[in-house]
Amino acid sequence: VVMPTVFDDKYTVAVFDENLVLKQAFNNTTGLSSTNAFSAYTSGHLLWVGLDNCISKIEIGNAFYHFGKESGLAGAINDIYKFDGKMYVGTGNGLFRESFDENGLPSFERIYTYATQKITTFKVPNSDKKILLAGTALNVIELKNGDVKLKEDGSARDEIEHIDCSVLFQSRLHPEYLYIGTREGLVWEKYKPANGKNWQHIDHILEGIEVTSIEEDSKGNIWCATSKGVVKMSPDGKNITTYDEESGIP
């Protein structure tokens, strides 16, 4: 059973089963261009809806939705990550978290205002615990129970400060290490909780060089794609080799 509605922000189109149990609902937050639906026609699993400004085609049973500014998102999408059953989206306008209204329809709320380039989890060594991290244009922040950890004055608490982050990478061979690719080099941190902070700074390498990707080989060497070529760093950080045009990399 399909029910189109007019001037109803909650359910522009509602789909019910034979027992009149709501199965799917659509409105302008999930991709429809209007909240006014005047007609509906079903053809197999396809649903055609006549709106006040266009015709929309919906595949019944398909969970595909379109999320944009009508859903609360803003800015170019940089990264998407699912953690504890919720989607997190990093954009040029901040960090957004999925939420649901009283009718179960999804949308997004902004929980941090700085441009967010990377979202990932850090697996705490010798534990089942995972920490959700977001790399932003200002810092790397930790989310606790899905919320940004705050200072007493209400501002976001920096876990790792003053870093324009583009990539986060946890070592597989030495899982206590976190490598952060930034526009100004490679930052090396160690997970070592003390005095209210989780991270101990080890080194800042390749200063002035943008790091866009990080990987680790079977020997623990760290490989970085940078604005100056490919860089290999030994596990202890003492030996660094750069492969550039002279090495055959264009």
Side-chain angles (χ1 to χ4, degrees):
V1 179
V2 177
M3 183 178 69
T5 67
V6 180
F7 303 120
D8 189 337
D9 293 338
K10 294 181 180 179
Y11 299 138
T12 303
V13 179
V15 180
F16 300 86
D17 65 14
E18 63 274 11
N19 297 314
L20 295 183
V21 176
L22 181 67
K23 303 301 292 183
Q24 281 187 285
F26 305 90
N27 61 16
N28 62 331
T29 68
T30 58
L32 293 181
S33 61
S34 171
T35 58
N36 299 321
F38 294 100
S39 60
Y41 173 78
T42 58
S43 175
H45 65 284
L46 296 179
L47 170 63
W48 297 83
V49 181
L51 304 172
D52 61 4
N53 56 5
C54 69
I55 295 175
S56 289
K57 183 178 70 172
I58 300 171
E59 186 175 351
I60 300 175
N62 190 335
F64 175 81
Y65 294 103
H66 167 81
F67 297 102
K69 61 181 181 180
E70 299 84 1
S71 310
L73 288 176
I77 309 300
N78 295 324
D79 201 14
I80 305 171
Y81 199 88
K82 188 173 185 178
F83 183 75
D84 281 348
K86 288 189 176 182
M87 297 300 300
Y88 292 81
V89 180
T91 84
N93 285 40
L95 177 63
F96 295 79
R97 180 181 58 204
E98 183 183 31
S99 61
F100 296 88
D101 65 17
E102 66 274 16
N103 302 299
L105 291 174
S107 61
F108 285 86
E109 58 179 332
R110 182 161 57 181
I111 59 176
Y112 196 55
T113 57
Y114 288 98
T116 302
Q117 286 82 249
K118 186 65 179 177
I119 310 167
T120 191
T121 49
F122 180 90
K123 298 179 181 179
V124 176
N126 304 314
S127 169
D128 293 330
K129 181 182 177 182
K130 293 182 180 180
I131 299 173
L132 184 62
L133 299 176
T136 81
L138 179 66
N139 48 21
V140 175
I141 59 173
E142 179 182 328
L143 286 86
K144 185 177 182 180
N145 298 324
D147 292 315
V148 177
K149 294 170 68 174
L150 301 177
K151 298 178 182 177
E152 292 183 359
D153 62 3
S155 61
R157 193 178 97 182
D158 297 333
E159 284 300 319
I160 302 168
E161 302 178 358
H162 309 306
I163 291 175
D164 189 355
C165 172
S166 56
V167 60
L168 297 165
F169 181 84
Q170 180 177 7
S171 170
R172 291 183 290 271
L173 296 183
H174 305 282
E176 69 276 16
Y177 291 151
L178 175 69
Y179 297 94
I180 306 166
T182 81
R183 297 185 188 278
E184 296 296 329
L186 178 69
V187 176
W188 186 2
E189 301 280 331
K190 182 178 182 179
Y191 182 79
K192 187 177 181 181
N195 301 320
K197 298 276 283 186
N198 284 336
W199 305 96
Q200 174 187 332
H201 180 71
I202 296 179
D203 205 351
H204 186 175
I205 306 162
L206 309 177
E207 292 191 40
I209 300 175
E210 182 176 7
V211 177
T212 57
S213 181
I214 304 172
E215 192 48 79
E216 181 181 42
D217 64 24
S218 59
K219 296 180 180 180
N221 295 306
I222 298 299
W223 294 77
C224 301
T226 79
S227 56
K228 299 294 185 179
V230 176
V231 174
K232 182 178 75 170
M233 181 182 76
S234 61
D236 58 9
K238 295 181 179 180
N239 298 308
I240 296 176
T241 304
T242 300
Y243 302 90
D244 51 19
E245 291 185 2
E246 295 183 358
S247 307
I249 297 179

